[in-house]
């Protein structure tokens, strides 16, 4: 619930899921999941029986990259609006 123009004596209340600490924590978790999925792709390609299941770690990598990029974009936009004084 953000307000565009608020009086000087009021601060914008940031929901818990949009706080900086939560964003940084989710970025760290998504980076670990991305590394895990890359290792999974390498393991699935090395074992002939698992080659049909390479799509699972690839899908995991794509989804974690999507969350990671969207969180980075959110933080960049937030910091850009803070620095511009809005």
């Amino acid at each position: 619930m953000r307000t565009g123009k608020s009086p000087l004596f009021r601060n914008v209340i940031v929901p818990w899921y949009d706080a900086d600490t939560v964003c940084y924590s989710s970025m760290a978790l998504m980076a670990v999941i991305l590394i895990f999925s890359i290792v999974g792709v390498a393991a699935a390609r090395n074992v002939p029986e698992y080659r049909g299941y390479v799509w699972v770690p690839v899908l995991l990598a794509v989804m974690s990259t999507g969350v990671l990029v969207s969180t980075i974009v959110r933080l960049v936009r937030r910091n850009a609006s803070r620095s511009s004084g809005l």
Side-chain angles (χ1 to χ4, degrees):
M1 188 158 150
R2 296 178 180 243
T3 56
K5 296 180 180 179
S6 62
L8 294 176
F9 59 88
R10 288 188 180 183
N11 290 331
V12 176
I13 299 173
V14 178
W16 67 269
Y17 54 84
D18 199 25
D20 286 343
T21 307
V22 175
C23 287
Y24 292 133
S25 299
S26 67
M27 285 172 52
L29 180 65
M30 290 303 119
V32 169
I33 291 173
L34 182 62
I35 292 169
F36 177 73
S37 64
I38 291 170
V39 171
V41 168
R45 291 186 70 192
N46 287 335
V47 179
E49 294 87 22
Y50 295 150
R51 286 195 181 145
Y53 299 106
V54 173
W55 64 271
V56 176
V58 168
L59 182 64
L60 188 63
V62 167
M63 290 190 302
S64 65
T65 302
V67 172
L68 190 63
V69 167
S70 69
T71 306
I72 290 171
V73 167
R74 178 183 299 165
L75 285 173
V76 166
R77 285 183 183 169
R78 183 183 310 151
N79 289 333
S81 69
R82 283 183 189 167
S83 65
S84 67
L86 294 177

